[in-house]
């Protein structure tokens, strides 16, 4: 029942007792008011695997915990969204978020980009399988029905989970790839986006880091700078996300968190999804990157931007200053 990563703020609770936790949750939700503090104390300090055991214990005595929390009215707002997310297995939560991003009018492209650009091949394959089981539809069909053009082609490529995940770097090929990307963008009128797709969505991370170095030598610019100059909208966003995740995934998520909270208003969907999905994977690294990039702690940002029980549960997931 260990955590799914080793750089998270949420770690396995010692002396874990699923039945005792189940009883605490039942008490917290009984009667007129809900004791959110107890719910936070239990769920924010258990791993996903431990939370599944709590769900099993609850099911044996009362019924489905997720169903109850979704429909009973004992939780509401952003606090409810965090709690529901914490109770799902990682690929189930990703599939749920992707589904919500495509439900109804309009699409939250940023969610599709964030999840598909940052997950491994194995994770993407599991998400696709869960999506089919949960919603009775292929994720690729859902994405194709909601997106178009070259942006759609990039997402479909990411969904195919075909990236080379070896450590092999072909020096000659790296130079060739850099040259071809340069010739497909900066060196011509108009942009051949297919060339960007074939290199950025297929080659392995180590190889691409060499490609980015070579690109800098050839063009005198960072690849990110060229993507911003050559592309726009969701296509620009997805290519930038791919490059950022390859360079430094923790920095990518730190930036997502910062942008969700800076300025007027908070993009709670992004804040919640990032805090829930990274809490037991790499939140320690994301916090360190946040401090380095913005000169303030993630904890202080969350504290200043949220309130009530929602704030309390996020701060627990953040793991202190």
């Amino acid at each position: 029942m260990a955590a799914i990563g080793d750089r998270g703020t949420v770690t396995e609770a010692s002396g874990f007792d699923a039945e005792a936790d189940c009883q605490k949750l039942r008490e917290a939700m009984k009667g007129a008011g809900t004791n959110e503090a107890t719910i936070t104390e239990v769920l924010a300090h258990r791993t996903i695997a431990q939370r599944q055991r709590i769900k099993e214990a609850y099911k044996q005595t009362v019924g489905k915990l997720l169903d109850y929390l979704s429909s009973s009215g004992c939780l509401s707002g952003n606090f409810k969204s965090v709690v529901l997310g914490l109770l799902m297995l990682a690929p189930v939560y990703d599939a749920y978020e992707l589904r919500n991003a495509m439900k109804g009018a309009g699409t939250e492209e940023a969610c599709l980009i964030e999840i598909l650009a940052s997950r491994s091949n194995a994770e993407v394959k599991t998400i696709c399988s869960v999506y089919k089981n949960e919603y009775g539809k292929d994720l690729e069909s859902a994405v194709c029905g909601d997106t178009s053009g070259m942006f759609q082609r990039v997402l479909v490529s990411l969904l195919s989970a075909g990236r080379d995940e070896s450590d092999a770097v072909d020096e000659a090929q790296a130079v060739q790839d850099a040259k071809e990307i340069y010739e497909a963008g900066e060196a011509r009128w108009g942009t051949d986006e297919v060339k960007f797709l074939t290199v950025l969505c297929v080659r392995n991370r180590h190889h691409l880091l060499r490609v980015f170095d070579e690109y800098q030598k050839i063009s005198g610019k960072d690849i990110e700078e060229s993507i911003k100059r050559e592309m726009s909208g969701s296509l620009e966003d997805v290519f930038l996300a791919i490059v950022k995740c390859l360079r430094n995934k923790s920095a990518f998520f730190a930036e997502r968190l910062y942008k969700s909270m800076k300025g007027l208003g908070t993009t709670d969907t992004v804040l919640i999804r990032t805090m829930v999905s990274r809490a037991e994977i790499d939140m320690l690294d994301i916090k360190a990157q946040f401090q380095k990039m913005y000169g303030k702690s993630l904890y202080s940002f969350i504290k200043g931007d949220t309130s009530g029980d929602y704030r309390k549960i996020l701060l627990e997931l953040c793991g202190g200053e």
Side-chain angles (χ1 to χ4, degrees), residues 162-310:
R163 183 183 298 285
D164 167 22
E165 288 184 338
S166 74
D167 294 341
V169 177
D170 181 333
E171 292 293 336
Q173 185 65 55
V175 173
Q176 183 65 23
D177 284 343
K179 196 162 163 276
E180 288 186 0
I181 290 179
Y182 176 65
E183 285 167 359
E186 292 282 354
R188 57 174 275 168
W189 180 255
T191 308
D192 177 7
E193 292 107 346
V194 177
K195 185 51 68 182
F196 279 81
L197 186 156
T198 44
V199 174
L200 292 178
C201 294
V202 178
R203 306 280 194 262
N204 75 59
R205 178 174 182 264
H206 295 274
H207 180 88
L208 282 166
L209 293 177
R210 283 290 302 117
V211 172
F212 301 158
D213 288 344
E214 286 300 323
Y215 187 88
Q216 169 76 46
K217 286 181 200 167
I218 294 167
S219 69
K221 295 186 183 76
D222 280 340
I223 182 92
E224 292 93 326
E225 207 182 319
S226 292
I227 290 169
K228 285 176 188 169
R229 282 163 56 99
E230 295 294 316
M231 297 170 202
S232 62
S234 295
L235 186 63
E236 175 190 339
D237 293 340
V238 73
F239 278 133
L240 282 176
I242 291 167
V243 172
K244 286 172 181 177
C245 284
L246 289 163
R247 283 203 197 271
N248 184 336
K249 201 177 281 186
S250 304
F252 168 74
F253 283 113
E255 184 187 8
R256 295 281 294 148
L257 286 167
Y258 176 74
K259 286 186 171 171
S260 77
M261 293 182 279
K262 81 174 178 98
L264 282 173
T266 306
T267 313
D268 293 294
T269 51
V270 176
L271 177 55
I272 293 167
R273 184 169 57 244
T274 310
M275 295 304 294
V276 168
S277 65
R278 308 313 294 186
E280 69 179 76
I281 299 175
D282 53 2
M283 188 53 71
L284 292 172
D285 299 325
I286 292 168
K287 280 169 69 174
Q289 281 293 335
F290 194 98
Q291 181 76 47
K292 187 175 158 192
M293 290 161 72
Y294 305 111
K296 282 187 174 174
S297 71
L298 175 59
Y299 187 94
S300 68
F301 248 73
I302 292 171
K303 198 173 177 183
D305 229 65
T306 56
S307 61
D309 294 300
Y310 173 47

Side-chain angles (χ1 to χ4, degrees), residues 1 9 90 94 97 139 145-146 196 244:
M1 285 184 296
T9 44
D94 281 344
E97 286 292 294
L139 180 52
D146 250 55
F196 279 81
K244 286 172 181 177

Side-chain angles (χ1 to χ4, degrees), residues 30-61:
K30 217 164 67 177
T34 303
N35 185 342
E36 285 88 354
T38 300
I39 295 173
T40 297
E41 179 203 321
V42 174
L43 297 181
H45 298 281
R46 306 290 183 270
T47 60
I48 293 171
Q50 288 176 326
R51 294 183 205 123
Q52 302 315 301
R53 291 276 302 277
I54 295 168
K55 276 164 66 180
E56 282 163 29
Y58 193 91
K59 191 177 178 181
Q60 283 166 12
T61 53

Side-chain angles (χ1 to χ4, degrees), residues 19 24 29 32 51 107 120 140 159 232 265-267 286:
E19 280 73 25
K24 280 183 192 169
M29 296 182 291
R51 294 183 205 123
T107 305
S120 67
E140 187 181 315
L159 278 169
S232 62
T266 306
T267 313
I286 292 168

